[in-house]
Every structure is written in C-alpha cells, then in structure tokens.
Amino acid sequence: MAQPSGIGGEEEKIQPVTKQDVSNGEEQDAERGEGKENGRYTQIDPAIASRIAANVDDFMTLVNEANEAYERERDMKLSYAFKVYPKAIAWSMILSSCLIMEGFGTSVVGSYISFPPFRDKFGVQAPNGDYQIPASWQNGIAGATNVGEIIGLQIAGVLCERWGYRWTIISALVAVTGFIFFPFFAENLTIFLVGEIFQGMAWGVFQTMTVAYAAEVCPVPLRHYLTSYINLCWIIGQFISAGVLYGLQGRQDEWGYKIPFSLQWIWPIPIAIGTYLAPESPWWCVRHNYRERAEVSLKRLARSSGFSQRDADAAMALMIYTDEMEKQVSEGTKYWDCFKGIDLRRTEIVCLTWIAQSMCGTAIGGLSTYFYQQAGISDSDSFKLGWGQNALNFVGTVASWFILNRIGRKTLVFSGMVFMFVLLIITGFMGIHVPPSTAESWTAGTMVLLLSVTANFSVGPVVYTIVSEIPSTRLRAKSIILARNAYNAINIAFINVVSYRQLDPAEWNWGPKAAFFWAGTNIIFTTWIFYRLPETKGRTYAELDILFENRVPARKFASTKIETLVEGTEGAQKEQADRITSNVTHAEVS
C-alpha cells in the first residue's frame, strides 16, 4: 500500500540532493567531484537557499559564519566542550533536577501498592489474606497521574511560547508545592487520586521543558550527556524513594506513607531559585526574534576564555540560518504543523520511540517491587531488591555515556531491545510452574532486575536524546509534548490496565508469565526501530534538517555526508549579489 510522502516516502528524493543526478534510487551513490571518494552525500535544496537569501540582508556572510560554527561543533573534542561549557552543563543539570523530584514522587506513588502502611489504610482484603489496593484503583491512580501529565504537557506547550522555558518551569514548581497537600492529607483514595491529577499537571511541564532546554544550551559533543542525564535524574529520585520506603516499611501508622510525601516539599524552592538565575535558551530567543538576548545567553553558557566574539557571531549565524531554513520548509509552529510534510516523519519517530520505551517490557520493571512480591519474594527482600535495582539503573545510565557516542543512538537502542526480549522469555518460563519454587522466584526476580538495568543502559536514557534531536528546532517543544503524550496515552489506555491485572492475585494472577506478553510487544517495536529509526549521532540541527528535507532513508542517515553548509547555496549567493548590484546600478542611474 502506498504511504504518504511525509512518513513512508523516505525512499523518495527531492531534487536536487546532489550536484549530480541521483534519480535512479537510493542505492545509487554519487561522487562529490574529482579527487573525492565515492559515497552518499546531500546538501540544502538550492530552491530553499534562494528563499532564505530573499529573506535576509547578507546571505553570503550568514552562510559562511553559520558554516564556521557548524565546522567548529562538528570538529569539537569532548574535552574541549567540557572545558569551555561547564556553565551550560551546570545550568542544564539544575533545571533537570526537577525530574529528581518527579522521579521521587512517581516512584512513591507506584510503590505504595506494595507498601504495607498504605495498603493497610486504603486496601481491601484479598483471598490470600493480605490487604491489596483494588486493581481498579491502581489503574485509576496511575491513570490520573498520566491524565494530569497530558494536561500539563499541553499547558506547557502554550506557556513556553509566551514565557520561555525558565518561567514555565518556575510556574510549575510553584503549583506543585501546593498540589502536594492533596495526597498528604488524603483520607480516602478519591482525594488521593485528585491529588495525583494535579501533581501530574506540574510533572508534565517538567518532562518537556527540561528536555528541550538541555538540547538547546550545549554543543553537539555534550548533547547526549545532558539529555540522557534527565533519565539519570529519574533514577536518582527513584533511588531516594526506594531508600525512604525501605526505611519506613516498619512503621504501621499513617506517617509511614505521609513522610515520603512531605519530603517532596524540599525540592521546589532551591530548584526555582536556580531556574530563575539560569539563562534562557538561545534557540528560544532566536525563534522569538530576541537576538541580543540570544547572544547574551550564548555568552553566559560558555567561558569567555574559550568563546570569543567571533565564536558568538558564528553561533548566532548558525541558529538564524537553521531557523530561516525551517521557516522556508514549514513556516508554522502549531501542533498541527507537526503532522505536515517532512515533520510528519519526525513526529512518527519521536512518538513511537517514546512508546517503545513503555512497550519493550519496562512495565514489569516499573512495578518491580510488586512483581517480586507476587513472584513469591518477601516484602522486606522485595524492597531491598527494588532499592538495589535503582542503584544498578544509575550505573547503567552512566555506563551508557561511555558507549553512546561510539556506537550511536540506534545501535544502542536496538541492542538493548533484543537483550530485553531474551530476558523476558527467560522470566516467563520461570512462571510456568505454579507456585514457583524459591529458585524460580529468585531467578525471575533477577531477570526483571537485569531487564531494568538493560533498559536504563539503552532505551531509557537514549530516548531523551532521540526525542530532543529529531524534531525541527521550531517544533521541538511541541514535538516532545506530542511524543510524551503518546507515551502517557498508551500508559492510560493499555499498560496501566494490563500490567496491574497481570500481577494482581485478585485479578489475572499471571505472575512471571506476564513477561511472555511483553516479549511480544517488544519484538514489534524492535522491528520498527530497525527499519524506521535514523542515526543522529554527531549531527547538528542544520544537518538533520537537510537530511530530513532530502528524505534520506533511516538506514542511510549515518553514511550520508554533508561536507559544508555552503554547498547548495552558491546559486542563492549569486542571486543576492546580482540583486544588490542591480539595485546599486539603478540607484546610480537615477
């Protein structure tokens, strides 16, 4: 069946993509010229370059300065990036710490279904004699959080266009300070659920703004570190939560579950102060035509000793050139524009990549403590395993930093998905014998622990890098919002409904056999990743725009070369020069 050119039409080529005719299909490579080695390459469409030239005063200077910044980023060593941009790293880490707070809060809520003081107060007695939170309420509370996040994400998309990333985050920090009162003082599950909706609204803001900010304040060599660090923030929050819950599991009074909620009030004020002091994203400033403010932000993000005025001018030119190029391809910045033309393909990639993170089997890892209990492991050992799991997740994410820039985003995600599939199959076999033996229970628990570590070495952190790199700069925030909302929607409509019932002894009671189900969903998304996910390692945003505009197939992204940003603009430069000469001649004649 024929596919729309915006998504499935990636095998097509728009003209011209090279200096020679490459109309015979994607397998036909072109030569750059005499003395150059054979290989795939592409460049900006000269027609787009001409439209940019008609829209700026000095196109020749803009292109050459933009190319200077492009080559500076492309050739920049990691050690040099760390040396020149420590302030960019620090500011991004401060804003990303919102996710530590969110990771703590979501982990507390997710773990309460297995937390004895909470179950004793709000649960009902199951056939085995234990108190359990009914599956319908488990689904409802988890769904309420996701619904709140969807609302918050949509609000963030509107506010960030008007206020910028910083003030949008600050407003959410103020709001969440008040929303914590709901679950803290809840006397029934209804009030608790309402509180989770409101908290989810603030959490939705953090999920988008922190990712977009991290992607826009650093050069290419640092981008995957700062974006994947967001996943580490989640893990840090979850680790703190696991430690707090383990320390309080002996308390049987209401403070056993209220203390973890009260600890959430520690975070907002210091994070809000740091966010207020941080510079706004220079890309956001350029998109809103605040060019002087953008230059100030650039200088605040780098050390003056390694970032000269010429570097600032070149960086400004690259941002302006990229912004103008995207305007000529797709002028709109509304949500609907994410589904038009080449942006439809980009939206498909970010949405399905984030959905893959949920559907690859991590649903079991997210309910690991509850899974351990239903697999036959004691409450105390379950919380110990959960705590140890978060520590290993931390190690996994940090380890990914050392390999991600070597093998690339796609390879790491694909390899992780395949390994998780194997772990899920082994876990499922451990549940065939009912009830499972002690050895089978601990084997299943170990497999789930390894599953979580693998996810946080591969798809967990890399997803944040991919969803921040793939969209156009003008639609980045809205694309991330759509992707995260796709993730939340699949959680509400499917994962929350299925995963709790699979493990609840009063419902389906599948136990470890639930892993077979997630192995099936894993293989579907592993196949999609192989065919549809492009490799974005080491690419500037201008390069990615050119690759998508020329509909380079996903499997050819890594091998397609863009030597300079000047190539493809020669005709546009000549046209502008001729117009200037003509205007001068007419002026002299008159």
Side-chain angles (χ1 to χ4, degrees), residues 152-178:
L153 284 161
Q154 296 304 125
I155 292 173
V158 175
L159 294 185
C160 75
E161 287 297 312
R162 299 181 181 181
W163 298 352
Y165 299 148
R166 292 163 54 250
W167 283 107
T168 303
I169 291 174
I170 290 171
S171 65
L173 287 166
V174 172
V176 79
T177 304

Side-chain angles (χ1 to χ4, degrees), residues 138-389:
Q138 293 180 31
N139 298 340
I141 291 171
T145 302
N146 293 136
V147 168
E149 289 173 355
I150 289 174
I151 296 170
L153 284 161
Q154 296 304 125
I155 292 173
V158 175
L159 294 185
C160 75
E161 287 297 312
R162 299 181 181 181
W163 298 352
Y165 299 148
R166 292 163 54 250
W167 283 107
T168 303
I169 291 174
I170 290 171
S171 65
L173 287 166
V174 172
V176 79
T177 304
F179 296 156
I180 295 169
F181 282 97
F182 282 89
F184 183 80
F185 287 108
E187 289 296 322
N188 54 63
L189 288 176
T190 302
I191 300 300
F192 191 87
L193 182 146
V194 171
E196 291 313 299
I197 292 177
F198 283 119
Q199 284 196 106
M201 290 169 62
W203 293 340
V205 174
F206 302 147
Q207 291 168 2
T208 307
M209 298 298 99
T210 53
V211 178
Y213 187 86
E216 294 186 358
V217 298
C218 62
V220 170
L222 295 177
R223 198 162 62 204
H224 76 271
Y225 291 98
L226 295 185
T227 51
S228 61
Y229 172 74
I230 292 170
N231 187 69
L232 191 64
C233 289
W234 277 94
I235 294 169
I236 293 170
Q238 292 167 354
F239 179 78
I240 296 171
S241 168
V244 169
L245 293 176
Y246 176 71
L248 292 172
Q249 66 172 325
R251 294 196 65 143
Q252 298 302 316
D253 60 358
E254 64 180 10
W255 288 101
Y257 67 87
K258 282 192 173 184
I259 288 174
F261 271 114
S262 66
L263 293 177
Q264 293 183 84
W265 278 308
I266 295 173
W267 306 101
I269 292 177
I271 297 174
I273 293 172
T275 304
Y276 174 77
L277 296 174
E280 186 54 82
S281 160
W283 284 93
W284 184 90
C285 295
V286 166
R287 289 195 296 271
H288 292 79
N289 207 30
Y290 301 136
R291 295 187 178 178
E292 291 182 4
R293 188 176 167 190
E295 186 173 335
V296 171
S297 290
L298 282 173
K299 292 178 179 178
R300 288 190 62 195
L301 292 167
R303 280 181 172 170
S304 57
S305 58
F307 192 73
S308 64
Q309 182 60 47
R310 179 171 178 172
D311 292 329
D313 292 340
M316 283 294 300
L318 180 58
M319 289 191 293
I320 293 169
Y321 179 72
T322 304
D323 187 60
E324 289 293 335
M325 179 165 47
E326 292 178 2
K327 285 180 182 177
Q328 301 309 319
V329 174
S330 176
E331 292 190 14
T333 57
K334 306 296 184 184
Y335 282 109
W336 180 243
D337 295 301
C338 295
F339 300 96
K340 292 181 178 178
I342 59 172
D343 288 308
L344 178 58
R345 179 185 173 194
R346 292 173 136 176
T347 302
E348 173 216 347
I349 293 168
V350 295
C351 288
L352 290 185
T353 300
W354 223 327
I355 290 174
Q357 189 190 52
S358 275
M359 299 293 285
C360 66
T362 54
I364 291 178
L367 296 173
S368 57
T369 302
Y370 192 54
F371 177 88
Y372 298 146
Q373 291 172 340
Q374 304 313 314
I377 300 173
S378 69
D379 287 352
S380 178
D381 286 339
S382 294
F383 277 100
K384 287 178 183 176
L385 279 172
W387 198 9
Q389 174 182 310

